Amino acid sequence: MPSLSVIVPYRGNDSNIEKTLLSLLENRPHDAEILVVHDGSYRDPYDLGDEVLFVEAAAGASSVDLWNEGIMAACAPIVHTLVDGIAVLPGWTDLACELFAQDSIAASAVGLKYRSSSTYGIATHALDTPARLRKRHVFSLSADAPVSAPQISCGFYRKSVLLDLEGFRGTNMAEAELEMAYAFDTLGLECVVDDTTEVLVEAVPTEIGSRQLAMIAVDYGILRNGTISGISEALSAALVNPQGAISWSLGIVSAKYGQHQARITLARERRKERLQPHNFGKRAA
């Protein structure tokens, strides 16, 4: 059984997926499997079926859906999400995977470098700071700062934790990684940073929309929903982002607090059951 499952979604760009696959096959860890998840539109022109597992999802599946399909198909205890278009380097998984030797570790983040700046996962201190959320400053800019979850573009997760949470939730990558950070934080799950590894990306990490961001913050109790709260927060948002103020306030007004609760409760129960020692074969006193 492999110890690492690398999951790459095919999002319609042949050049991107081929660039990533080439670098993966050149630098593949000896005990890793590579999964490419697609919606039926990828034809495998280089006949890589012996080296890559191609997983077909439903037609029209989003990137988040593709990753969730990959998680279900993965055989390894550690899952590595990787966006197509990234070229990995030798040894990029070494330390990130070693960190999982500690049972308490649920995820590991690495640096994503775009031009002269790097980000290192979702910053823990951003999750309960409305001013930072309004400005969409959710990424950690320092490898030394606490993070709650990796960026989905290049993140390492314990598969059992993702299964407990029934995968990622969101309409796009940015929403899914932020929501997962809130879920990790609520469950008290630990994410660490591999400060020795950086992966080069050709585009700036995707920013979450103001409306979606506000809806997640309300869902997890960081903001109050309702018309009055929406107007108040809209005025605050207008001072830092006039164009996003309306979207921010609409997100607050339309969001529902506590939608995450059933999912978190179920994940907590599953995790408790999985970690609980079983005394098979012993008679009750």
Side-chain angles (χ1 to χ4, degrees):
M1 185 179 75
S3 64
L4 177 69
S5 296
V6 183
I7 304 173
V8 187
Y10 171 67
R11 301 182 297 162
N13 188 314
D14 287 357
S15 177
N16 278 355
I17 196 70
E18 288 160 11
K19 172 183 177 180
T20 299
L21 281 177
L22 177 61
S23 69
L24 282 172
L25 293 174
E26 287 180 343
N27 302 296
R28 180 181 194 161
H30 74 279
D31 56 350
E33 64 173 358
I34 300 172
L35 295 83
V36 170
V37 193
H38 61 102
D39 64 356
S41 57
Y42 190 64
R43 301 305 176 191
D44 185 19
Y46 298 102
D47 195 21
L48 297 176
D50 291 337
E51 299 181 85
V52 177
L53 174 62
F54 291 94
V55 179
E56 187 170 340
S62 68
S63 298
V64 177
D65 294 331
L66 296 178
W67 268 307
N68 285 336
E69 287 286 345
I71 292 166
M72 296 302 298
C75 293
I78 301 173
V79 167
H80 178 27
T81 56
L82 192 67
V83 73
D84 55 329
I86 288 180
V88 300
L89 300 174
W92 93 99
T93 69
D94 291 351
L95 181 55
C97 288
E98 287 177 13
L99 293 169
F100 285 91
Q102 303 176 55
D103 292 338
S104 62
I105 303 301
S108 176
V110 301
L112 270 73
K113 187 170 185 178
Y114 173 67
R115 295 183 179 175
S116 60
S117 61
S118 299
T119 54
Y120 300 88
I122 308 300
T124 299
H125 64 267
L127 299 182
D128 58 359
T129 311
R132 290 181 62 87
L133 293 175
R134 281 196 300 267
K135 296 176 184 178
R136 294 186 287 188
H137 292 173
V138 300
F139 299 135
S140 173
L141 302 180
S142 169
D144 298 324
V147 298
S148 288
Q151 291 168 246
I152 199 172
S153 301
C154 188
F156 294 81
Y157 305 83
R158 200 175 293 277
K159 180 185 174 183
S160 59
V161 171
L162 294 180
L163 291 179
D164 289 345
L165 284 161
E166 298 183 337
F168 294 98
R169 189 178 74 174
T171 59
N172 55 48
M173 289 168 48
E175 186 177 344
E177 64 192 7
L178 180 65
E179 196 280 335
M180 185 61 75
Y182 273 109
F184 269 47
D185 196 58
T186 303
L187 289 168
L189 299 172
E190 185 177 1
C191 176
V192 292
V193 176
D194 167 11
D195 59 4
T196 68
T197 302
E198 285 191 337
V199 176
L200 301 179
V201 295
E202 295 184 349
V204 65
T206 306
E207 285 192 338
I208 186 171
S210 295
R211 180 168 183 168
Q212 289 75 22
L213 196 157
M215 291 179 72
I216 294 174
V218 169
D219 185 12
Y220 280 88
I222 308 306
L223 299 173
R224 292 176 297 127
N225 62 338
T227 304
I228 295 177
S229 296
I231 293 173
S232 175
E233 287 291 341
L235 294 174
S236 298
L239 298 177
V240 296
N241 182 11
Q243 292 182 336
I246 294 177
S247 294
W248 175 261
S249 57
L250 286 175
I252 294 173
V253 172
S254 60
K256 293 182 179 180
Y257 167 70
Q259 286 189 323
H260 71 284
Q261 289 179 346
R263 173 168 170 258
I264 296 298
T265 298
L266 182 58
R268 186 176 283 116
E269 291 173 351
R270 287 171 172 167
R271 182 168 174 80
K272 181 179 179 180
E273 173 64 22
R274 183 165 44 78
L275 297 178
Q276 180 177 302
H278 295 278
N279 298 316
F280 295 112
K282 291 187 177 181
R283 293 184 178 180

